[in-house]
Amino acid sequence: MNAYDEYMKGIVKPMRQELVDAGFTELTNPEEVNEFMATAKGVSLVVINSVCGCAAGLARPAARQAIEEVKPDHMVTVFAGQDREATAAMRGFFEEIPPSSPSIAILKDGQLEYFIPRDQIEGYPVEQITEHLTGVLKQACEA
């Protein structure tokens, strides 16, 4: 690991921990992603985490707040730009969606139900993102 990678690992630690502390399972390699996707039944909330301060600083709090109101069966996260292979593996399960980070996917029995790309996160108040995500989660969990 070079000095830059080591530096970035330290920088992103609180960004990772924010979701882990909220109950998300971090998937850091393709094997973990594939194992999760092979066994994920019910509704899964997938947060593609990111260093990007503007959008990621909104996506993480919105995800944390949404799950306080509606709890999906599974909550996982991959970190774009850090765990590249894991992120690529997760994105492979919804290839029709252009890569976007941060972003949020709602899956039902491993199939993409809804996707919130970065352009629906960045520039919006966290309350609006939370409301959007909560509404989608309610629909997915009740269906």
Side-chain angles (χ1 to χ4, degrees), residues 57-98:
L58 297 167
R60 288 187 299 269
R64 286 192 345 265
Q65 290 171 28
I67 62 171
E68 288 176 14
E69 196 167 327
V70 183
K71 199 73 150 189
D73 300 303
H74 309 281
M75 301 177 307
V76 297
T77 180
V78 294
F79 207 112
Q82 296 296 305
D83 301 322
R84 289 176 177 86
E85 295 85 6
T87 304
M90 182 59 77
R91 286 178 173 152
F93 286 98
F94 34 91
E95 290 179 310
E96 67 279 12
I97 304 291

Side-chain angles (χ1 to χ4, degrees), residues 2 19 42 44 70-71 98 105 112 125:
N2 66 35
L19 292 175
S44 301
V70 183
K71 199 73 150 189
L112 183 65

